Amino acid sequence: MSDDPVGAQGIRDDRGLPMLRADCDNCFGLCCVALSFQASADFAIDKDAGEPCPNLRPDFRCGIHSRLRQEGFKGCTVFDCFGAGQRVAQVTFEGRSWRAAPQTATQMFAAFGVLRQLHELLWYLTQALRLAPAGDLHDELGVSLAETDRLAEVDVDALLGLDVAAHRNRVTALLSRTSERVRADAPGDRRKGSKPGKNLRPGADLIGATLRGADLTGANLRGAYLIAADLSGADLRAADLIGADLRDADLSGADLSESLFVTQSQLSSAKGDATTKLPPSLSRPAHWAD
């Protein structure tokens, strides 16, 4: 890997917006160093924050990338930095790695945590702009996206001084308004939880629930616990899934083609198959059944 920065243009799409997908070739293995994890079903070992994973090679690539799940590192296949890694590496720190400049390591790892949150908000705002019709709400979303991107461009000292929680709260309120407007127009709106059950509400405990073939169009499932739930064949169009925990949920044959605020990480944590319908901006995880 070269130490020459790719520059801001190299991390933006043809609309000038930040690239919101991880580009590991232009990162310094930040998720493999900055984050901590504990031995569990998702990770084979314990690792402290700031400690390089033993599988991280000198060229910042993963030594077991092709067999992470088989080696007990399923959690690595689920994590998504939303493109924050390459932005920290190539823009915030101008292509200087924490190995080449060890004195930058502490700030770099902290900056990665902040930028990852901002890039996640950029992902949601970009999705919301596509959903909201022209008008005041669409304009507000555009302003919020531009402001979030501006915050992500500041230098490292300013970045570490940001009140990210306060900004997230403002963005969350705007995303909620977008969700309400889109779901209000969805056929079979389930916002009040009238069907298939009254527990269909934000933050609902639906762990292991049987929702096979359920009509969940327009459901508000923000932050719902859907761990190991059977959602096979369910209709989730216009359902708000922001922050929903889909670990090991069965999405085989489910329709998520128009679901709101779904992320690649959510899909990667779930189970599915070739008949699962996905939003066009997301990819079918490699581990899903054919």
Side-chain angles (χ1 to χ4, degrees):
M1 175 177 291
S2 169
D3 280 333
D4 293 332
V6 297
Q9 284 302 114
I11 61 162
R12 292 184 178 273
D13 64 18
D14 55 8
R15 298 166 299 171
L17 295 174
M19 296 293 288
L20 300 176
R21 296 181 184 275
D23 177 4
C24 298
D25 286 341
N26 284 304
C27 185
F28 300 136
L30 294 179
C31 62
C32 306
V33 188
L35 307 180
S36 65
F37 50 74
Q38 291 73 46
S40 62
D42 292 324
F43 297 100
I45 60 173
D46 293 325
K47 188 191 81 66
D48 293 331
E51 172 190 344
C53 175
N55 298 309
L56 184 64
R57 302 188 322 203
D59 63 356
F60 300 113
R61 295 178 180 274
C62 175
I64 60 169
H65 184 266
S66 63
R67 57 183 194 280
L68 280 165
R69 286 181 169 260
Q70 297 91 319
E71 296 284 344
F73 289 86
K74 181 173 69 172
C76 295
T77 69
V78 172
F79 179 77
D80 186 358
C81 76
F82 296 96
Q86 65 260 26
R87 191 169 192 168
V88 171
Q90 302 299 340
V91 179
T92 311
F93 284 86
E94 301 180 329
R96 293 175 301 156
S97 76
W98 51 270
R99 280 183 171 146
Q103 72 278 9
T104 67
T106 299
Q107 280 194 317
M108 187 179 297
F109 301 156
F112 175 65
V114 174
L115 265 177
R116 197 265 178 192
Q117 294 183 67
L118 293 175
H119 268 228
E120 181 181 12
L121 294 178
L122 287 170
W123 170 269
Y124 291 137
L125 287 165
T126 301
Q127 301 303 308
L129 271 170
R130 295 171 181 168
L131 296 167
D136 292 345
L137 182 57
H138 190 275
D139 292 342
E140 286 183 63
L141 288 165
V143 170
S144 184
L145 187 148
E147 172 65 8
T148 304
D149 188 30
R150 186 193 67 76
L151 293 176
E153 289 181 328
V154 300
D155 64 34
V156 65
D157 291 327
L159 191 65
L160 297 183
L162 290 178
D163 187 345
V164 181
H167 183 67
R168 177 180 285 276
N169 288 339
R170 291 191 292 272
V171 172
T172 297
L174 187 54
L175 295 175
S176 294
R177 288 170 53 203
T178 305
S179 172
E180 285 289 333
R181 184 169 299 184
V182 174
R183 290 185 299 105
D185 296 332
D189 187 6
R190 302 293 180 256
R191 287 176 298 158
K192 296 182 180 179
S194 58
K195 184 180 179 182
K198 64 181 180 180
N199 289 327
L200 293 184
R201 62 182 185 275
D205 183 352
L206 296 166
I207 297 175
T210 300
L211 296 166
R212 185 185 304 114
D215 178 3
L216 302 176
T217 50
N220 190 346
L221 293 169
R222 297 169 70 90
Y225 295 94
L226 289 157
I227 302 168
D230 183 357
L231 291 161
S232 57
D235 190 345
L236 288 156
R237 288 174 298 167
D240 188 340
L241 293 171
I242 194 168
D245 193 337
L246 294 173
R247 283 177 293 170
D248 293 322
D250 186 356
L251 299 176
S252 301
D255 189 348
L256 291 85
S257 60
E258 300 175 20
S259 297
L260 310 185
F261 306 126
V262 185
T263 67
Q264 191 66 50
S265 180
Q266 286 174 306
L267 295 181
S268 296
S269 71
K271 301 174 182 177
D273 62 15
T275 65
T276 306
K277 297 179 181 179
L278 304 179
S281 58
L282 300 176
S283 303
R284 196 173 308 277
H287 66 274
W288 280 13
D290 295 328

